């Protein structure tokens, strides 16, 4: 792939597009790419490395099992995204030559006690009753042992399994989005901060550090930088940082064909161990206590992991809403202004591109998406 220098100015002085997306992480990039696919002209504006970016620090799982309990539309959107992923990633791959590493072997949540197994069984049966379990099944220890070549730890009692769980390389995905947006005639404008957005006749004037853009529609998908811009457009995006820490080991013998909660083997052979959930504000560092807890669980699952060296670790900040579900909303005060955020930007990437983006281009979020409005946080108690 040819390497591109980031532009230092806008493509033209009076730059106008159908849809401007603020935030070039996985959520904004998927929506910008999908809007182009839906026939719109698009600009994707991204502040860059100075900002907190979950899209470069995540675990890369397309995780379906257990999602959407108590909210069937979320379960359905997640499953729909996992269903769209194969075709969507293949299209990106053919166009860009980048293999985003998608594979869908199914995932296991290992349970290290009878209590954990009972909790997973209860989740599966509640999701089943709501029609959203995605085939989640409970397996005993012997069944799990047959699925992996590595010996299980003594405390493993069983697991929940979901055939829809998948994974991909999130950095390759982000790169493919940015390249293909440019190849399809969209404007990807990195190192550019959106400072203000105001409604003008027929759309929005977007003040950026590189000049002004005019857009028929604007999408605020700026992760943890969203709240202020959204508020100026009559949109509510109450997001907070939740830190996750990830450890990467040296390359290891194959773990088998399956994924595990908190443990995944990359195509290159490294094991990624992770996914703490810590309320530490904007501190995206690492902490030994969390690393110890994560590695103990990994070793309790597969004792052989204790022999591996850890070669990298990092902390990154999730973008969390009060109930953990996504927000998709069109502003009532300024129609044409949209909010989009979630804490599963890899999982939902295909849905963002092929379901959310076309609705934004059409100017109307159907009921299945409008149910993710932030209005749900303001319902008065009876
Ligand atoms: C440790 C960890 C593990 C995770 N694992 C998974 C997983 O396995 N599967 C999964 O589906 N999800 C996972 N996630 C979540 C996933 O990474 C996020 O949902 C996703 O990256 C969010 O993308 P985003 O575009 O909303 O946010 P970001 O990646 O934060 O991107 C927001 C972008 O907006 C830009 N921006 C901010 N303000 C402005 C402004 N004013 N002007 C211009 N640009 C601006 C920033 O530069 C940034 O690039 C994980 C997250 C973490 C932290």
């Amino acid at each position: 792939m040819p390497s591109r220098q980031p532009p230092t100015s806008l493509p033209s002085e009076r730059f106008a597009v159908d849809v401007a997306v603020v935030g070039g992480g996985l959520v904004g990039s998927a929506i910008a790419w999908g809007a182009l696919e839906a026939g719109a002209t698009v600009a994707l504006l991204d502040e860059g490395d100075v900002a907190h970016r979950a899209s470069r620090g995540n675990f890369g799982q397309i995780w379906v099992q257990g999602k959407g309990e108590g909210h069937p539309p979320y379960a359905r959107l997640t499953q729909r995204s996992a269903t769209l992923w194969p075709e969507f990633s293949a299209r990106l791959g053919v166009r860009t030559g980048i293999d985003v590493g998608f594979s869908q072997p199914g995932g296991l949540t290992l349970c290290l006690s009878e209590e954990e197994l009972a909790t997973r069984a209860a989740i599966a049966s509640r999701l089943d009753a709501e029609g959203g379990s995605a085939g989640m099944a409970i397996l005993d220890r012997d069944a799990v042992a047959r699925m992996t070549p590595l010996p299980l730890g003594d405390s493993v009692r069983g697991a929940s399994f979901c055939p829809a769980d998948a994974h991909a390389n999130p950095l390759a995905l982000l790169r493919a989005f940015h390249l293909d947006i440019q190849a399809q005639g969209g404007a990807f404008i990195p190192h550019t901060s959106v400072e203000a957005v105001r409604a003008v006749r027929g759309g929005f004037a977007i003040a950026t550090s590189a000049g002004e853009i005019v857009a028929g529609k604007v999408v605020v998908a700026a992760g943890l930088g969203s709240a202020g811009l959204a508020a100026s457009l009559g949109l509510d995006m109450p997001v907070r940082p939740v830190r996750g820490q990830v450890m990467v080991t040296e390359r290891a013998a194959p773990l088998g064909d399956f994924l595990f909660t908190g443990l995944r083997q990359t195509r290159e052979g490294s094991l990624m161990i992770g996914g703490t959930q810590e309320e530490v504000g904007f501190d995206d560092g690492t902490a030994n206590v969390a690393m110890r807890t994560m590695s103990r669980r990994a070793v309790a699952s597969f004792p052989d992991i204790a022999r591996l060296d850890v070669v990298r670790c990092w902390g990154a900040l999730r973008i969390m809403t009060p109930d953990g579900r996504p927000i998709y909303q069109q502003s009532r005060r300024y129609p044409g202004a949209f909010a989009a955020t979630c804490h599963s930007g890899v999982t939902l990437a295909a849905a963002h591109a092929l379901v959310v983006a076309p609705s934004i281009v059409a100017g109307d979020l159907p009921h299945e998406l409008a149910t993710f409005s932030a209005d749900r946080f303001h319902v008065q108690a009876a």
Side-chain angles (χ1 to χ4, degrees):
M1 280 292 129
S3 72
R4 288 165 192 268
Q5 289 300 315
T8 50
S9 58
L10 299 179
S12 67
E13 220 170 85
R14 295 283 316 153
F15 188 51
V17 288
D18 297 329
V19 179
V21 180
V22 186
L26 281 172
V27 174
S29 300
I31 290 173
W33 184 84
L36 265 169
E37 293 288 291
T41 56
V42 168
L44 174 64
L45 297 137
D46 189 61
E47 190 172 9
D49 283 337
V50 290
H52 295 280
R53 267 207 278 218
S55 300
R56 295 192 190 274
N58 69 69
F59 215 62
Q61 287 183 333
I62 295 136
W63 201 255
V64 176
Q65 67 168 286
K67 288 260 179 73
E69 195 190 334
H71 193 241
Y74 186 28
R76 281 196 294 274
L77 188 69
T78 303
Q79 288 172 36
R80 193 162 170 201
S81 195
T83 307
L84 290 167
W85 247 97
E87 186 236 316
F88 146 83
S89 56
R91 205 188 304 173
L92 262 179
V94 167
R95 294 244 199 91
T96 61
I98 295 176
D99 178 358
V100 302
F102 173 74
S103 89
Q104 194 161 28
L108 290 150
T109 299
L110 294 182
C111 299
L112 303 188
S113 66
E114 294 295 346
E115 199 187 347
E116 282 185 18
L117 198 58
T119 303
R120 294 306 290 171
I123 292 172
S125 84
R126 284 196 296 268
L127 277 166
D128 227 8
E130 292 171 6
S133 78
M136 190 172 158
I138 301 300
L139 307 179
D140 63 18
R141 180 186 164 90
D142 290 345
V144 177
R146 285 194 293 273
M147 294 166 86
T148 167
L150 278 193
L152 293 173
D154 291 341
S155 52
V156 175
R157 304 265 59 91
S160 57
F161 173 71
C162 175
D165 293 331
H167 64 155
N169 178 334
L171 296 178
L173 175 64
L174 196 59
R175 175 95 178 120
F177 273 141
H178 292 169
L179 277 183
D180 204 37
I181 285 168
Q182 295 168 90
Q184 303 306 314
F188 170 50
I189 307 168
H191 311 298
T192 302
S193 170
V194 170
E195 283 149 8
V197 183
R198 70 194 155 82
V200 293
R201 201 156 36 146
F204 299 89
I206 299 162
T208 81
S209 52
E212 190 171 273
I213 289 183
V214 177
K217 298 186 177 74
V218 63
V219 183
V220 181
L224 292 168
S226 295
L229 281 176
S232 72
L233 291 165
L235 290 162
D236 187 23
M237 294 180 80
V239 289
R240 68 177 198 284
V242 173
R243 184 170 73 184
Q245 295 183 53
V246 177
M247 293 161 40
V248 182
T249 72
E250 62 181 309
R251 291 176 188 190
L255 256 187
D257 286 337
F258 301 99
L259 302 170
F260 300 89
T261 308
L263 180 66
R264 102 175 166 95
Q265 188 160 34
T266 65
R267 188 172 277 186
E268 296 74 23
S270 301
L271 298 190
M272 291 178 75
I273 300 169
T276 54
Q277 305 242 5
E278 301 162 84
E279 301 280 352
V280 290
F282 282 87
D283 176 357
D284 62 358
T286 56
N288 286 342
V289 179
M291 300 282 170
R292 209 174 303 130
T293 309
M294 290 191 302
S295 34
R296 277 194 186 138
R297 188 163 180 104
V299 170
S301 304
F302 297 107
D304 286 5
I305 289 179
R307 289 205 294 265
L308 298 173
D309 281 338
V310 171
V311 294
R312 261 195 325 280
C313 60
W314 64 79
L317 302 177
R318 291 187 183 80
I319 298 124
M320 199 62 77
T321 61
D323 61 6
R325 294 177 200 141
I327 295 173
Y328 310 116
Q329 184 157 13
Q330 177 162 206
S331 171
R332 269 190 290 272
R333 200 173 339 141
Y334 301 107
F338 293 83
T341 190
C342 73
H343 80 88
S344 293
V346 186
T347 306
L348 293 174
H352 289 156
L354 301 176
V355 180
V356 175
S359 305
I360 288 173
V361 172
D364 186 28
L365 296 183
H367 176 72
E368 70 192 86
L369 294 178
T371 179
F372 292 98
S373 150
D375 290 350
R376 66 185 188 269
F377 303 122
H378 305 291
V379 175
Q380 295 280 321

